[in-house]
Amino acid sequence: MKPQDLICPKPDGLYCPPGDFYIDPVRPVDRAVITHGHADHARAGHGVVAATPETLAIMAERYGDDFAGRRQPVAYGEAFTHNGVEVGLVPAGHVLGSAQAVIRWKGMTIVVSGDYKRRRDPTCPAFEPVPCDVFVTEATFGLPVFRHPDDRGEVAALLKSVEQFPERAHIVGAYALGKAQRVIRLLREAGWDRTIHVHGAMDRLNRLYGRHGVDLGLLAPATTGTKKDFEGAIIVAPPSALADRWSRRFPDPVDCFASGWMRVRARARQRGVELPLIISDHADWDELTATLDELRPGEVWITHGREEALERWCELQGIPARALRLVGYDEEEGE
């Protein structure tokens, strides 16, 4: 049996022929396994959706309760069998509820990682390596230039700037699902116990994180109060808000942006970011290669991102690899 007999790429996404289901399909299908709640992986309109309870809650929050014909919650460490194919979910360390799909059939194991990272995240369980015949990986930051620093150091730089410029507001651009809550928790762990002001677009997901046990501390809308009230304040907002009229209501704001792409200074300059914060929810180059070195799978399949460099690294390590070049996954999503 070849791995392609169990999982193969199709225009709608990764398809399992014996199980007759897709993993993170880009269009509505009859049966889908969803790795996490970002919109490029979790779409509405499927017949049956199997995912962690947290991911199902995120999808309901974003798309409404009727986002699928039926929901099939699968907790971490649990598995179910469909048409003789076993499907389990284990943590991916990406965002709340994110999971790797572990597919087993006739003695073969394929792990579809979705998006993942290896470093600690106070808002979700850590990535769990699973021995497998084929490991399906992303390569969003699959170039050696992408080596992300310790996120605690990036948060320390933010707090130092707040201390240096107490008369200014600091607006942190962060994606509404995952990145925003992680930045807030990192600030709390660094000792920032003051109110953090948040854009209205963050409110529902912040509350959802709270319901799932992630304590974000005291939050307040960034729409009340005078300009002077926001002196020395930290505000978390979607990245698009940094260039919006919305940001002009704050006193001489320092535009910050929390993203792995801030490693590329040209991107920071293009966006007009004054304080880049290199905080990523994806694996960097060292995490990608360390994961593959740890797992040593029989094959590596690369879904999207910088496939060529990672494919070449695998070749040099004697690990067969192929780039699937799947379309429909946004490398900016979550970053």
Side-chain angles (χ1 to χ4, degrees), residues 265-277:
R265 296 300 173 176
R267 287 208 179 201
R269 289 194 298 270
Q270 289 167 1
R271 284 180 167 268
V273 175
E274 186 172 348
L275 180 59
L277 302 172

Side-chain angles (χ1 to χ4, degrees), residues 33-97:
V33 176
I34 303 298
T35 63
H36 66 281
H38 281 145
D40 58 334
H41 290 255
R43 292 168 167 85
H46 305 307
V48 178
V49 169
T52 63
E54 295 87 349
T55 293
L56 293 173
I58 289 168
M59 293 181 72
E61 193 67 61
R62 305 188 97 179
Y63 302 128
D65 285 334
D66 59 349
F67 69 86
R70 181 167 69 85
R71 309 180 200 181
Q72 183 176 357
V74 184
Y76 290 135
E78 289 185 354
F80 66 94
T81 300
H82 183 71
N83 289 354
V85 177
E86 182 184 290
V87 181
L89 298 179
V90 299
H94 180 52
V95 297
L96 180 70

Side-chain angles (χ1 to χ4, degrees), residues 196-200 220-225 230 234-237 246 249-250:
I196 295 175
H197 299 271
V198 293
H199 190 283
T223 53
T224 58
F230 291 99
I234 295 176
I235 301 145
V236 181
W246 177 88
R249 64 187 313 275
F250 305 110

Side-chain angles (χ1 to χ4, degrees), residues 33-328:
V33 176
I34 303 298
T35 63
H36 66 281
H38 281 145
D40 58 334
H41 290 255
R43 292 168 167 85
H46 305 307
V48 178
V49 169
T52 63
E54 295 87 349
T55 293
L56 293 173
I58 289 168
M59 293 181 72
E61 193 67 61
R62 305 188 97 179
Y63 302 128
D65 285 334
D66 59 349
F67 69 86
R70 181 167 69 85
R71 309 180 200 181
Q72 183 176 357
V74 184
Y76 290 135
E78 289 185 354
F80 66 94
T81 300
H82 183 71
N83 289 354
V85 177
E86 182 184 290
V87 181
L89 298 179
V90 299
H94 180 52
V95 297
L96 180 70
S98 61
Q100 305 169 78
V102 182
I103 314 298
R104 292 189 170 101
W105 185 60
K106 294 185 176 180
M108 177 171 287
T109 300
I110 297 180
V111 174
V112 181
S113 61
D115 291 336
Y116 67 98
K117 65 177 178 293
R118 298 302 304 267
R119 61 191 63 200
R120 174 184 174 273
D121 184 334
T123 69
C124 65
F127 176 99
E128 290 184 10
V130 176
C132 55
D133 299 290
V134 177
F135 185 67
V136 185
T137 181
E138 59 150 315
T140 301
F141 292 111
L143 289 173
V145 67
F146 291 113
R147 288 183 163 95
H148 301 147
D150 190 322
D151 48 24
R152 292 170 295 185
E154 299 300 286
V155 169
L158 170 60
L159 294 178
K160 182 178 180 181
S161 182
V162 174
E163 182 182 358
Q164 288 177 324
F165 304 106
E167 74 285 358
R168 304 178 69 183
H170 284 66
I171 307 178
V172 181
Y175 192 69
L177 171 58
K179 187 66 63 64
Q181 295 79 22
R182 182 178 170 205
V183 167
I184 292 170
R185 276 302 311 158
L186 289 171
L187 282 165
R188 299 307 189 197
E189 291 184 348
W192 185 264
D193 56 5
R194 292 168 51 184
T195 299
I196 295 175
H197 299 271
V198 293
H199 190 283
M202 310 282 187
D203 185 58
R204 290 193 303 171
L205 287 171
N206 286 342
R207 292 177 185 275
L208 185 148
Y209 266 68
R211 292 195 298 271
H212 285 86
V214 181
D215 182 9
L216 300 178
L218 186 59
L219 305 178
T223 53
T224 58
T226 66
K227 182 173 282 194
K228 189 170 181 59
D229 292 332
F230 291 99
E231 291 180 358
I234 295 176
I235 301 145
V236 181
S240 59
L242 297 179
D244 193 76
R245 288 180 57 189
W246 177 88
S247 66
R248 299 178 195 169
R249 64 187 313 275
F250 305 110
D252 192 15
V254 178
D255 284 351
C256 316
F257 188 19
S259 171
W261 297 114
M262 291 298 96
R263 171 60 77 188
V264 182
R265 296 300 173 176
R267 287 208 179 201
R269 289 194 298 270
Q270 289 167 1
R271 284 180 167 268
V273 175
E274 186 172 348
L275 180 59
L277 302 172
I278 307 171
I279 301 175
S280 175
D281 280 333
H282 292 262
D284 68 4
W285 174 258
D286 289 337
E287 292 173 309
L288 289 168
T289 56
T291 299
L292 299 181
D293 195 43
E294 177 183 7
L295 292 174
R296 284 281 159 177
E299 292 185 33
V300 170
W301 295 354
I302 307 165
T303 55
H304 63 288
R306 274 65 185 164
E307 301 106 326
E308 294 84 358
L310 196 58
E311 194 174 12
R312 175 59 176 162
W313 182 90
C314 289
E315 180 184 336
L316 294 174
Q317 301 301 312
I319 304 173
R322 59 186 289 229
L324 302 181
R325 295 183 174 86
L326 299 180
V327 297

